[in-house]
Amino acid sequence: MSPAEARGNIENFTGVAQIPLGIAGPLYIDGEHARGEFLIPLATTEGSLVASYSRGMKVVNLAGGVRTTVSGDSMQRAPVFIFDSAREAREFVAWIGTRLEEIRAVSEATSHVARLAHIEPFLSNKFAFLRFNFTTGDAAGQNMVGKATYAAYQWILANNRTIRRAYLESNFATDKKPSHVNILHPRGKRVTAEATIPHDVLHHQLRVEPDQLAYHWGVANVGALLSGANNNGLHSANAITALFIATGQDVANVAEGAAATTFVEVTHDGALYFSITIPSLIVATHGGGTHLATQQECLRMLGCTGHGSVDRLAEIVAGTVLAGELSLAAAISSLEWVSAHEQLGRNR
Amino acid sequence: MSPAEARGNIENFTGVAQIPLGIAGPLYIDGEHARGEFLIPLATTEGSLVASYSRGMKVVNLAGGVRTTVSGDSMQRAPVFIFDSAREAREFVAWIGTRLEEIRAVSEATSHVARLAHIEPFLSNKFAFLRFNFTTGDAAGQNMVGKATYAAYQWILANNRTIRRAYLESNFATDKKPSHVNILHPRGKRVTAEATIPHDVLHHQLRVEPDQLAYHWGVANVGALLSGANNNGLHSANAITALFIATGQDVANVAEGAAATTFVEVTHDGALYFSITIPSLIVATHGGGTHLATQQECLRMLGCTGHGSVDRLAEIVAGTVLAGELSLAAAISSLEWVSAHEQLGRNR
Amino acid sequence: MSPAEARGNIENFTGVAQIPLGIAGPLYIDGEHARGEFLIPLATTEGSLVASYSRGMKVVNLAGGVRTTVSGDSMQRAPVFIFDSAREAREFVAWIGTRLEEIRAVSEATSHVARLAHIEPFLSNKFAFLRFNFTTGDAAGQNMVGKATYAAYQWILANNRTIRRAYLESNFATDKKPSHVNILHPRGKRVTAEATIPHDVLHHQLRVEPDQLAYHWGVANVGALLSGANNNGLHSANAITALFIATGQDVANVAEGAAATTFVEVTHDGALYFSITIPSLIVATHGGGTHLATQQECLRMLGCTGHGSVDRLAEIVAGTVLAGELSLAAAISSLEWVSAHEQLGRNR
Amino acid sequence: MSPAEARGNIENFTGVAQIPLGIAGPLYIDGEHARGEFLIPLATTEGSLVASYSRGMKVVNLAGGVRTTVSGDSMQRAPVFIFDSAREAREFVAWIGTRLEEIRAVSEATSHVARLAHIEPFLSNKFAFLRFNFTTGDAAGQNMVGKATYAAYQWILANNRTIRRAYLESNFATDKKPSHVNILHPRGKRVTAEATIPHDVLHHQLRVEPDQLAYHWGVANVGALLSGANNNGLHSANAITALFIATGQDVANVAEGAAATTFVEVTHDGALYFSITIPSLIVATHGGGTHLATQQECLRMLGCTGHGSVDRLAEIVAGTVLAGELSLAAAISSLEWVSAHEQLGRNR
């Protein structure tokens, strides 16, 4: 990498960190944006990770692939406005509702891409937090949304005399932090992956039964609720991190991205339905580190370059996460220990 | 990187992902393990990140450096044992208490390094979750702890007839997931960084006043509590991710590591006390990706190679995080908007 | 109480539980709905509770009273609809958006009072959770909203062929459970109380300084974030419970109501600004236990009977909570221990 | 109630609040402390609540009763000590470990009942939070633990010169607030109730199938995780509140008590295993409001008077909660809507 290539991505450039890249898959994806077989580049130093994901992908493929769906898309910045009292904060929110078109015009003037979807207000004490929600095309969009919101912030300050103090950000976005607001409301893409694995495929490939995985899922929910984990999945962070490094994403966004909700059930015909929703997956196919050489190569390999490719990447990440969840869940359940007493009682 | 070098770190090796590496700092660290000036290698594609951390470091240095303290060290695996009813689960936990030495012997026999510190039981429904806590030397230790706990798990299953089912893991460790148990009890190192910035340094370097930063900290606490963020910091994930990529860490551990608690106050003489505690920072100077060429180079640059160097790395990460929190907090507060009404009132 | 009087409130009526009732206050409230002096009936068996609240009220009165503001009003029921896959769930949400008027008509036909404000969808896995938000006049409204939502639920099931399963409720409302969704979005009233206590009033009445309370507030934020408390207040549950018992509320709603967010600062002229927001306070002046004899008497004493009185009750509860927070905060801070070293440094 | 009777429970006594009392049950409890049939007094104004609990109890009785188990007992106060830096805080915790016997002697000297079980330290920033854990006999114990901890606090301040500031409490206990620390570690009693309902009992009595309840439980876990509810149960607060009012408990403790974890499974022979653990149930049979006339009567009716009766009360509360969870879960599931498509697929 030349200093010129890295310009804009780093300061005090001195070289590169080299992370080994392995190829998992192929993975058959039945998405709306990603369709067909994909070889998945994973950059990691954790031995067995690529093998484990590949194992899951093989099973998913034998089951007809993973179905993926993007159901939300938003990027936020959330300034806080402080007033003399709660009453002025409440009136301010009402006032914002009457000036939306002006605010939209001001903020959208800062970018050819960012579009203001809506502003969600949250009132507490004498504060009004305004969560600006934008769409940002193929970019992750944190910077363009920061700029667009700053323009709105300036306009608001110039046009409202009741504000006493204000900050452009105050832990309500919440950038690079796991948070419940980002589990409820998407930051980045909200994307789901689903697969239905026939009993025999699961039995022969992973040596576990659908009801074993379903039982462990129930136990793992209790574990997650007690431990205060922000999700009931197993290790979504592994796939997300490895794909993020490989494809030039802002890897620190793993902090939000790792909140993945799983649901597992045994279907009427004895198969395993397995799904995972990542509520706030921040991905880009434009901007940031996506233009760098090895990163571009990985994106190209995934067909994720050019206009309108970002949802494809989101679907690929979700599908990969699902394959890894399935693989690890099966590994845990294949070590399941069941007493003779319990097994005899099982009467299958 | 040759396939031979990457062996053990990756499967289906096809090349490398190259992440630009910039040098921030130097940062003066007054730690117990890290002492002196450090140049900090950050691998990232986010423009301005290195510059922002360097800006914070300059201020920290002018204030005499950052003081760092490691106060906890532990790595976990948490099997779950399932019984006929809650009563047997409770008796099981009592029984475990009587067999600790045997369990310790069995688990420690699997490694020259892992030492069992204690087992913490959590009872719910008919489940006993046992959270095994080990120290693991300079390694992150997830694998060795997995192996050591598995030996204990097998021994327990062989020696207790009341268990009906068991799993080696069930969302109580909680690996690669943000969780409250890992905020309360360390997973990896618990490490704190602190700095006291004189008023004039802050004013001249960052164009903000200590009481501005303190005020924003208060507002940001309300933001964090309302948004359900798992921490009241700003962007610890940025430093942790960039240092983790540079030094061969398991980057997916950012999911836990990003839970950083800040505390800010104005001291008697008008300076800014700023501190951050990372409750669960998983770092290694041995094993995983630490032996790879560019990663070793970065570790060497930090003096973090060889026996007993892992706490030094933990301190360096914490110090770097603090510099970045300070820099971003100042950037937000320098955009603070204060009404004339409020400013005139200020007059202190 | 006669069996006839209790009819509709209880089954297998056998008598009454008698809870001692004490009068705290008066409290001067400067609300939009509650204005003037109020004697506050508290039903409790915890000795010193009434005295502590009265102590806080005295201080608040000397400071000109407590300012109260209602900023949100909503009651929910949240059915879940289950589909073949995430894609149908997403299409279903879009379809709901096109049929809102019919859904509104069907649900509002069940009540003269309940009005559908909006339906908020949350998508995960193959589920669509629809959070129905109603206003319910002076009633708490859980029952009428249950009925109105059930009508909508039936209509939806009759008109959409893609649903595979559905439940009227699935932990998304979330009735009688503390939850983050109810901190972000009001369930019941969102109400704030604020007071600004001059330095001398605080000093003479409670023997503490504004900056002592502000400092403790900062420490208590760190405590709340680490302990995973759902709020940074001290004991809002005490006032809410005692007022709820006295006035015939559904006391189990304390589970949600106790999530109270405080904010504290020292003002330019050295006074203490203290505020508390209760995000989800479920109160009623009509229905439930409000018509019973002692309960009606308490409501009458508060001027909270008749049409349109429920916001007054919400403001009274919030004002009372604030008085108690202030009183306990001062009690803790007056036990504050400060080393000579620290005190000398203080230089006041 | 005479003013004399209420003395110690209330100030400014003016009368009583009368809450209707209904009798649910009987409930057959197979506990270690509560054994046999119990009539359950519930004080509430919510119509149908007593009937719903009775319905659940009838089913539980037909299934052989509810099995109850107390597995934890502890009451806390958690002072915070503040130091020059994190390093002194860490040394302080080590020092506390060397002075435990003196601290125990000092704190236990304040009471004939309170016994110090252990002190758990939590370090963050420059703070050491010490969570004192006591057993308190038949009392809830908040006051005696406050007194005992205050004695220890004073002793510590007198014997350690490194402390700069300290507060007796700082949101780490966490009294009357839902918190994760109190889900992990018991505050009050940790108590579990379990029942196994044969298929035919469930089918005939509640018109639902075990697998319907199990399926809804899975969906409700996803709901709880997304909504950020602190538990996956349905309405434990209802039983706890009604029993607390009836038996003279500190009703504000519902805030902690409502965090109830359920686990549901279909057993090998097609029955429904249903269990609930309340991690932090604060109950008393001595002190507080327990001596008042109607309250004593209720406690006597439950056999919960006299030395050593508090665990019996804990078991009764847990058993009652379970009956109500079962009843409501069945009510929701009996409204379950299943498409013809899904039903045909079911092939039962």
Side-chain angles (χ1 to χ4, degrees):
Chain A
M1 194 180 296
S2 67
E5 187 190 348
R7 190 171 306 138
N9 290 111
I10 196 111
E11 300 81 46
N12 285 343
F13 175 71
T14 58
V16 297
Q18 294 196 326
I19 315 291
L21 197 62
I23 303 295
L27 171 65
Y28 185 81
I29 304 182
D30 169 22
E32 293 173 308
H33 307 279
R35 300 191 60 86
E37 287 201 343
F38 293 83
L39 290 168
I40 309 293
L42 297 173
T44 182
T45 60
E46 297 311 298
S48 88
L49 194 145
V50 172
S52 172
Y53 277 88
S54 284
R55 187 173 85 128
M57 289 172 186
K58 187 180 165 195
V59 174
V60 165
N61 292 347
L62 287 169
V66 57
R67 188 174 173 86
T68 54
T69 304
V70 175
S71 64
D73 179 8
S74 201
M75 179 47 64
Q76 293 83 20
R77 185 62 49 189
V80 60
F81 300 89
I82 308 179
F83 299 86
D84 282 339
S85 81
R87 229 169 274 171
E88 287 80 16
R90 185 191 60 194
E91 299 316 313
F92 169 76
V93 164
W95 176 83
I96 288 287
T98 66
R99 309 299 290 269
L100 276 183
E101 287 321 305
E102 286 154 288
I103 294 170
R104 181 187 310 279
V106 166
S107 63
E108 295 188 352
T110 61
S111 158
H112 290 300
V113 176
R115 289 295 162 261
L116 180 60
H118 69 287
I119 300 175
E120 186 159 24
F122 296 91
L123 288 164
S124 191
N125 307 85
K126 58 180 179 176
F127 307 140
F129 297 88
L130 296 188
R131 207 159 177 263
F132 282 73
N133 291 270
F134 289 89
T135 54
T136 61
D138 290 304
Q142 282 128 314
N143 291 342
M144 80 171 77
V145 165
K147 212 170 146 193
T149 305
Y150 185 60
Y153 172 81
Q154 295 283 56
W155 185 92
I156 290 168
L157 293 173
N159 286 279
N160 186 296
R161 299 288 155 199
T162 65
I163 303 164
R164 293 290 164 253
R165 287 177 174 223
Y167 297 95
L168 190 53
E169 185 46 67
S170 209
N171 275 343
F172 226 106
T174 55
D175 198 38
K176 288 163 188 174
K177 279 184 286 293
S179 75
H180 215 87
V181 75
N182 288 350
I183 287 176
L184 287 167
H185 306 295
R187 178 170 172 83
K189 314 303 178 215
R190 194 175 196 97
V191 57
T192 297
E194 302 169 282
T196 301
I197 319 291
H199 171 275
D200 289 0
V201 171
L202 201 67
H203 178 80
H204 290 303
Q205 297 293 324
L206 298 175
R207 301 286 155 201
V208 291
E209 305 295 314
D211 65 355
Q212 282 182 285
L213 287 181
Y215 193 88
H216 182 257
W217 180 78
V219 177
N221 273 312
V222 174
L225 283 158
L226 292 179
S227 67
N230 76 344
N231 72 86
N232 66 347
L234 296 175
H235 68 137
S236 58
N238 274 330
I240 296 172
T241 303
L243 261 162
F244 274 22
I245 296 177
T247 60
Q249 309 300 311
D250 185 350
V251 187
N253 291 325
V254 166
E256 294 106 320
T261 306
T262 57
F263 179 71
V264 168
E265 69 173 303
V266 180
T267 67
H268 306 143
D269 49 1
L272 180 79
Y273 169 82
F274 197 104
S275 69
I276 184 152
T277 294
I278 307 175
S280 286
L281 181 72
I282 303 174
V283 281
T285 56
H286 182 82
T290 59
H291 71 98
L292 296 168
T294 61
Q295 288 83 343
Q296 261 291 307
E297 207 175 320
C298 287
L299 286 170
R300 215 172 294 124
M301 185 175 145
L302 295 168
C304 290
T305 54
H307 185 69
S309 56
V310 73
D311 285 344
R312 185 173 304 144
L313 182 57
E315 291 190 340
I316 291 167
V317 173
T320 305
V321 166
L322 180 136
E325 292 290 302
L326 182 65
S327 177
L328 181 53
I332 291 173
S333 287
S334 70
L335 289 180
E336 181 188 357
W337 183 89
V338 183
S339 73
H341 166 91
E342 185 89 350
Q343 279 173 315
L344 291 173
R346 204 173 269 188
N347 286 329
R348 300 195 213 179
Chain B
M1 193 180 297
S2 68
E5 188 191 347
R7 190 170 305 138
N9 291 112
I10 197 111
E11 300 82 46
N12 286 341
F13 176 73
T14 56
V16 297
Q18 294 196 326
I19 316 291
L21 196 63
I23 303 294
L27 171 65
Y28 185 81
I29 303 182
D30 170 21
E32 293 173 308
H33 307 280
R35 299 191 62 84
E37 286 200 341
F38 293 83
L39 290 168
I40 308 294
L42 298 172
T44 183
T45 59
E46 296 311 299
S48 88
L49 194 146
V50 172
S52 172
Y53 276 87
S54 285
R55 186 173 85 129
M57 289 173 186
K58 186 178 165 197
V59 174
V60 166
N61 293 348
L62 287 170
V66 56
R67 189 175 171 87
T68 53
T69 304
V70 175
S71 64
D73 181 8
S74 200
M75 181 45 66
Q76 293 83 20
R77 185 62 49 189
V80 60
F81 300 89
I82 308 179
F83 299 87
D84 282 339
S85 81
R87 230 169 272 171
E88 288 79 15
R90 185 190 61 194
E91 299 315 313
F92 169 75
V93 164
W95 176 82
I96 287 287
T98 67
R99 309 300 291 269
L100 277 183
E101 287 321 304
E102 287 154 286
I103 293 169
R104 181 187 309 279
V106 166
S107 63
E108 295 188 352
T110 61
S111 157
H112 291 299
V113 176
R115 289 296 163 261
L116 180 60
H118 69 286
I119 301 174
E120 187 159 23
F122 295 91
L123 288 163
S124 191
N125 307 84
K126 58 181 181 175
F127 308 139
F129 297 87
L130 297 187
R131 207 159 176 264
F132 283 73
N133 291 270
F134 290 88
T135 55
T136 60
D138 290 304
Q142 282 127 314
N143 291 343
M144 79 170 78
V145 164
K147 211 169 147 192
T149 305
Y150 185 60
Y153 173 80
Q154 295 283 54
W155 185 92
I156 291 168
L157 293 174
N159 285 278
N160 187 296
R161 298 288 156 201
T162 64
I163 303 163
R164 293 290 163 255
R165 287 176 173 224
Y167 298 94
L168 189 55
E169 186 47 65
S170 206
N171 275 345
F172 227 106
T174 52
D175 199 37
K176 288 164 189 173
K177 277 184 287 292
S179 74
H180 216 88
V181 75
N182 288 351
I183 286 175
L184 287 166
H185 307 294
R187 177 169 173 84
K189 315 306 177 212
R190 193 175 197 96
V191 58
T192 297
E194 300 168 283
T196 301
I197 318 292
H199 171 275
D200 289 0
V201 171
L202 202 67
H203 178 81
H204 290 302
Q205 297 294 324
L206 298 176
R207 301 286 156 198
V208 290
E209 305 296 313
D211 64 355
Q212 283 182 284
L213 288 180
Y215 194 88
H216 182 256
W217 181 78
V219 178
N221 273 311
V222 174
L225 283 158
L226 291 180
S227 67
N230 76 343
N231 72 86
N232 65 347
L234 296 175
H235 68 136
S236 59
N238 274 329
I240 297 173
T241 303
L243 261 162
F244 274 23
I245 295 176
T247 60
Q249 309 302 311
D250 184 350
V251 187
N253 292 324
V254 166
E256 294 107 318
T261 306
T262 57
F263 180 71
V264 168
E265 69 174 300
V266 180
T267 67
H268 307 142
D269 48 2
L272 180 79
Y273 168 83
F274 199 104
S275 69
I276 185 150
T277 295
I278 307 174
S280 285
L281 181 72
I282 303 175
V283 280
T285 56
H286 183 82
T290 59
H291 71 98
L292 296 168
T294 61
Q295 289 81 345
Q296 261 290 307
E297 207 174 318
C298 287
L299 286 171
R300 214 172 293 125
M301 184 174 144
L302 296 168
C304 290
T305 55
H307 185 70
S309 57
V310 73
D311 284 344
R312 185 173 304 143
L313 181 57
E315 292 190 340
I316 291 167
V317 174
T320 305
V321 166
L322 180 136
E325 292 290 304
L326 182 63
S327 177
L328 181 53
I332 292 173
S333 287
S334 69
L335 289 180
E336 181 187 357
W337 183 88
V338 183
S339 73
H341 166 91
E342 184 90 349
Q343 278 174 316
L344 292 174
R346 204 171 267 187
N347 282 339
R348 302 197 204 179
Chain C
M1 196 181 292
S2 67
E5 189 191 347
R7 190 170 307 138
N9 290 111
I10 196 113
E11 299 83 46
N12 285 343
F13 175 72
T14 58
V16 297
Q18 294 197 325
I19 315 291
L21 196 63
I23 303 295
L27 172 64
Y28 185 82
I29 304 182
D30 169 22
E32 293 172 309
H33 307 280
R35 299 192 61 86
E37 286 201 341
F38 293 83
L39 290 168
I40 308 293
L42 299 173
T44 183
T45 59
E46 297 311 298
S48 88
L49 193 145
V50 172
S52 172
Y53 277 88
S54 285
R55 187 173 84 129
M57 289 172 186
K58 187 180 165 195
V59 174
V60 166
N61 293 347
L62 287 170
V66 57
R67 187 173 172 89
T68 53
T69 305
V70 174
S71 63
D73 179 9
S74 201
M75 178 49 63
Q76 293 82 20
R77 186 62 50 188
V80 60
F81 300 89
I82 307 178
F83 299 86
D84 282 339
S85 81
R87 229 168 274 172
E88 288 80 14
R90 185 191 62 193
E91 299 316 312
F92 169 75
V93 164
W95 176 82
I96 287 288
T98 67
R99 309 300 291 268
L100 276 183
E101 287 320 305
E102 286 154 286
I103 293 169
R104 180 187 310 279
V106 166
S107 63
E108 294 188 352
T110 61
S111 158
H112 291 299
V113 177
R115 289 296 162 262
L116 180 60
H118 68 286
I119 300 174
E120 186 159 24
F122 296 92
L123 288 164
S124 192
N125 307 85
K126 57 180 180 177
F127 308 139
F129 296 87
L130 296 187
R131 206 159 177 264
F132 282 73
N133 292 268
F134 290 88
T135 55
T136 61
D138 291 305
Q142 283 127 313
N143 290 342
M144 79 171 78
V145 165
K147 212 170 146 192
T149 306
Y150 185 60
Y153 173 80
Q154 294 283 56
W155 185 92
I156 291 168
L157 294 174
N159 286 279
N160 186 297
R161 299 288 155 200
T162 65
I163 303 164
R164 291 292 163 250
R165 286 177 174 222
Y167 298 94
L168 190 53
E169 185 47 67
S170 208
N171 275 344
F172 227 106
T174 55
D175 198 37
K176 288 164 187 174
K177 277 184 288 291
S179 74
H180 216 87
V181 75
N182 288 350
I183 286 175
L184 286 166
H185 306 295
R187 178 170 172 84
K189 314 306 177 212
R190 194 174 195 97
V191 57
T192 296
E194 301 169 283
T196 302
I197 319 291
H199 172 274
D200 289 0
V201 171
L202 201 68
H203 178 81
H204 290 302
Q205 298 293 324
L206 297 176
R207 301 284 155 202
V208 291
E209 305 295 314
D211 65 355
Q212 284 183 284
L213 287 181
Y215 193 88
H216 182 256
W217 180 77
V219 178
N221 273 312
V222 174
L225 283 158
L226 292 179
S227 67
N230 76 344
N231 72 87
N232 65 348
L234 296 176
H235 68 136
S236 59
N238 274 330
I240 296 172
T241 304
L243 261 162
F244 273 22
I245 296 176
T247 60
Q249 309 301 311
D250 185 349
V251 187
N253 291 326
V254 167
E256 293 107 319
T261 306
T262 57
F263 179 71
V264 169
E265 69 174 301
V266 180
T267 66
H268 307 143
D269 49 0
L272 180 79
Y273 169 82
F274 198 104
S275 69
I276 185 151
T277 294
I278 308 175
S280 286
L281 181 71
I282 303 174
V283 281
T285 56
H286 182 82
T290 59
H291 72 98
L292 296 169
T294 61
Q295 288 82 342
Q296 261 291 306
E297 208 173 318
C298 287
L299 286 171
R300 215 171 292 125
M301 186 174 143
L302 296 168
C304 290
T305 54
H307 184 71
S309 56
V310 73
D311 284 344
R312 185 174 303 145
L313 181 57
E315 291 190 340
I316 291 167
V317 173
T320 304
V321 166
L322 179 136
E325 292 291 302
L326 182 64
S327 177
L328 181 53
I332 291 172
S333 287
S334 69
L335 289 180
E336 181 188 359
W337 183 89
V338 183
S339 74
H341 166 91
E342 185 89 351
Q343 278 174 315
L344 291 174
R346 204 173 268 188
N347 286 330
R348 300 198 213 177
Chain D
M1 193 181 296
S2 69
E5 188 191 348
R7 189 170 306 138
N9 289 110
I10 196 114
E11 299 82 46
N12 285 343
F13 176 73
T14 57
V16 297
Q18 294 196 327
I19 315 291
L21 196 63
I23 303 295
L27 171 65
Y28 186 81
I29 303 182
D30 170 21
E32 292 173 308
H33 306 279
R35 299 191 60 85
E37 286 200 342
F38 292 83
L39 290 167
I40 308 294
L42 298 174
T44 184
T45 59
E46 296 311 298
S48 88
L49 192 147
V50 171
S52 171
Y53 277 88
S54 285
R55 186 172 85 128
M57 289 173 186
K58 186 179 166 197
V59 174
V60 166
N61 292 347
L62 286 170
V66 57
R67 189 174 172 88
T68 54
T69 305
V70 175
S71 65
D73 180 8
S74 200
M75 180 47 64
Q76 292 84 19
R77 185 61 51 186
V80 61
F81 300 89
I82 307 177
F83 299 86
D84 282 339
S85 81
R87 229 169 273 171
E88 289 80 15
R90 184 191 63 193
E91 300 314 313
F92 169 76
V93 164
W95 175 82
I96 287 287
T98 67
R99 309 300 291 269
L100 277 182
E101 286 321 305
E102 287 155 285
I103 293 169
R104 180 187 310 279
V106 165
S107 64
E108 294 188 350
T110 62
S111 158
H112 291 299
V113 176
R115 290 294 162 263
L116 180 60
H118 70 286
I119 300 174
E120 187 159 24
F122 296 91
L123 288 164
S124 191
N125 307 84
K126 57 180 181 176
F127 309 139
F129 297 88
L130 296 187
R131 206 158 177 265
F132 282 73
N133 291 269
F134 289 88
T135 55
T136 60
D138 291 305
Q142 282 127 313
N143 291 341
M144 80 171 77
V145 164
K147 212 170 147 192
T149 305
Y150 185 59
Y153 173 80
Q154 294 282 54
W155 184 92
I156 291 167
L157 294 174
N159 285 279
N160 187 295
R161 298 290 155 198
T162 64
I163 303 163
R164 293 292 164 250
R165 286 176 176 225
Y167 298 94
L168 190 53
E169 185 47 65
S170 208
N171 276 345
F172 227 106
T174 54
D175 198 38
K176 289 165 186 172
K177 275 184 289 293
S179 74
H180 216 87
V181 75
N182 289 350
I183 287 175
L184 287 166
H185 306 295
R187 178 169 172 85
K189 314 305 177 211
R190 194 175 195 96
V191 57
T192 296
E194 300 168 285
T196 302
I197 318 291
H199 171 275
D200 289 359
V201 171
L202 201 67
H203 178 80
H204 290 304
Q205 298 293 325
L206 298 176
R207 301 286 155 200
V208 290
E209 306 295 314
D211 64 355
Q212 283 182 283
L213 287 181
Y215 193 88
H216 182 255
W217 181 78
V219 177
N221 273 311
V222 173
L225 283 157
L226 292 180
S227 67
N230 76 345
N231 72 87
N232 64 347
L234 296 176
H235 68 136
S236 59
N238 274 330
I240 296 172
T241 303
L243 261 162
F244 273 23
I245 296 177
T247 60
Q249 309 301 310
D250 185 349
V251 187
N253 291 324
V254 166
E256 293 106 319
T261 306
T262 57
F263 180 71
V264 168
E265 69 174 301
V266 180
T267 67
H268 307 142
D269 49 2
L272 180 79
Y273 169 82
F274 198 103
S275 70
I276 185 151
T277 295
I278 307 174
S280 285
L281 181 71
I282 302 175
V283 281
T285 56
H286 183 82
T290 60
H291 71 97
L292 296 169
T294 60
Q295 289 81 345
Q296 261 290 307
E297 207 174 319
C298 287
L299 286 170
R300 215 172 292 126
M301 186 174 143
L302 296 168
C304 290
T305 55
H307 185 71
S309 56
V310 74
D311 284 344
R312 184 173 304 143
L313 182 57
E315 291 190 340
I316 291 167
V317 174
T320 304
V321 166
L322 180 135
E325 292 290 303
L326 182 64
S327 177
L328 181 53
I332 291 173
S333 287
S334 69
L335 289 181
E336 181 187 359
W337 184 87
V338 184
S339 73
H341 166 92
E342 185 89 350
Q343 277 174 317
L344 291 173
R346 203 173 267 187
N347 284 333
R348 301 200 209 172

